[in-house]
């Protein structure tokens, strides 16, 4: 399986603090049966650092060269107006050099209209993946439908399946068939670690026909997501 959301690169954001922690995270990926990892350090307006990120990624590739893992580079980008220009200029990183862009929004309030933001990115030729959508309390089922209609994909965190506060929203997301990716959003090997066990159990029990979609070979690099027709809100 592919994990499209990880903060395994050390010393570039609030993720792994050291190479020692990163090594343990790599070992955890192998133990979990993950074969492809997309490294997604945080980027945002005025916080690009592509050279530093690429340098650290090259070091990680060398460190993991003997492991059964394929590493890809990307970013988790905090949405801001005009980010399309920075994506086009290469200052912001897409997932593995693909058109997919992992984008996050405020977890507290609707600073931006998420469906409209997704449409703007999709209209520019990208495939926005809204990160950990269960953490946005202001987005309901209707908004999720608008995100999908606007050309977006939806990602949820594997750790959320172990938390009671997310049980209801996860149930709604799966009932609406809105979930495209389950990812770790790992930051370390303790508090925000790599653990897909609760997610695997949930999907295996309630949605067994979808198990391979999330935990099998299908992924963004293997053609696991079907293109959707782009539709602006209200049209």
């Amino acid at each position: 399986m592919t994990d499209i959301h990880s903060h395994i690169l050390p010393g570039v954001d609030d993720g792994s603090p050291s190479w020692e922690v990163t090594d343990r995270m790599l070992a955890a990926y192998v133990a979990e049966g993950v074969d492809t990892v997309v490294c997604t350090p945080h980027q945002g307006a005025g916080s690009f650092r592509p050279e530093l990120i690429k340098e650290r990624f090259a070091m990680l590739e060398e460190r993991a060269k003997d492991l059964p893992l394929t590493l890809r580079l990307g970013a988790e980008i905090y949405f801001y107006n005009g980010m399309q220009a920075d994506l086009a200029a290469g200052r912001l990183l897409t997932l593995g050099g693909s058109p997919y862009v992992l984008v996050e929004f405020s977890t507290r309030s609707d600073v931006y209209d998420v469906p409209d933001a997704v449409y703007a990115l999709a209209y520019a030729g990208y495939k926005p993946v809204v990160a950990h959508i269960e953490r946005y309390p202001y987005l309901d089922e209707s908004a999720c439908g608008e995100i999908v209609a606007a050309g977006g994909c939806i990602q949820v965190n594997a750790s959320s399946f172990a938390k009671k506060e997310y049980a209801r929203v996860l149930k709604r997301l799966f009932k609406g068939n809105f979930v495209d990716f389950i990812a770790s959003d790992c930051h370390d090997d303790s508090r925000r670690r790599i653990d897909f066990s609760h997610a695997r159990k949930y999907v295996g029990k309630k949605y067994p026909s979808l198990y391979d979609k999330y935990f099998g070979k299908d992924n963004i690099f293997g053609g696991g997501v079907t293109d959707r027709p782009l539709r602006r809100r209200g049209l």
Side-chain angles (χ1 to χ4, degrees):
M1 68 168 289
T2 296
D3 186 7
I4 69 162
H5 187 170
S6 72
H7 298 273
I8 193 172
L9 291 181
V12 295
D13 60 5
D14 62 342
S16 174
S18 67
W19 282 111
E20 290 73 22
V21 170
T22 292
D23 286 341
R24 292 195 290 270
M25 294 169 76
L26 288 169
Y29 272 126
V30 174
E32 284 275 351
V34 175
D35 53 40
T36 302
V37 177
V38 188
C39 305
T40 54
H42 290 290
Q43 288 189 303
S47 179
F48 306 133
R49 305 160 299 145
E51 291 78 15
L52 170 64
I53 291 171
K54 290 175 181 178
E55 176 186 297
R56 203 62 51 90
F57 177 72
M59 294 170 68
L60 179 65
E61 283 190 307
E62 176 63 24
R63 206 172 186 96
K65 65 182 180 180
D66 294 325
L67 297 176
L69 287 171
T70 297
L71 300 175
R72 306 270 188 168
L73 184 57
E76 179 185 16
I77 306 167
Y78 195 91
F79 180 82
Y80 59 95
N81 288 325
M83 63 178 280
Q84 298 95 316
D86 289 325
L87 280 164
R91 289 185 284 268
L92 298 173
L93 302 172
T94 65
L95 298 183
S98 75
Y100 288 80
V101 178
L102 185 64
V103 57
E104 69 171 328
F105 297 86
S106 170
T107 58
R108 297 182 179 86
S109 61
D110 53 346
V111 177
Y112 293 102
D113 185 298
V114 177
D116 279 356
V118 165
Y119 179 83
L121 289 169
Y123 187 77
Y126 299 99
K127 296 181 181 295
V129 181
V130 179
H132 43 62
I133 201 167
E134 74 278 12
R135 295 175 58 190
Y136 309 135
Y138 51 87
L139 294 180
D140 58 14
E141 293 96 321
S142 176
C144 290
E146 290 172 349
I147 288 169
V148 169
C153 297
I154 287 175
Q155 178 252 308
V156 299
N157 282 358
S159 60
S160 296
F161 291 84
K163 299 175 181 178
K164 291 183 178 179
E165 62 264 35
Y166 294 126
R168 186 172 296 178
V169 65
L170 286 171
K171 182 178 180 179
R172 292 198 300 263
L173 287 168
F174 276 90
K175 186 178 180 180
N177 194 28
F178 294 132
V179 180
D180 293 295
F181 303 106
I182 298 174
S184 73
D185 191 12
C186 60
H187 282 61
D188 52 44
D189 63 333
S190 55
R191 190 175 66 89
R192 300 181 68 177
R193 61 194 178 93
I194 299 153
D195 183 1
F196 288 93
S197 60
H198 294 279
R200 289 179 188 270
K201 183 178 179 180
Y202 181 93
V203 175
K205 180 179 179 180
K206 295 182 179 295
Y207 300 95
S209 64
L210 299 178
Y211 193 87
D212 284 343
K213 171 183 177 179
Y214 302 120
F215 307 114
K217 291 292 185 182
D218 285 347
N219 54 67
I220 62 172
F221 304 111
V225 174
T226 302
D227 287 337
R228 300 181 175 116
L230 193 63
R231 189 173 79 246
R232 191 171 188 175
R233 177 185 290 175
L235 298 181

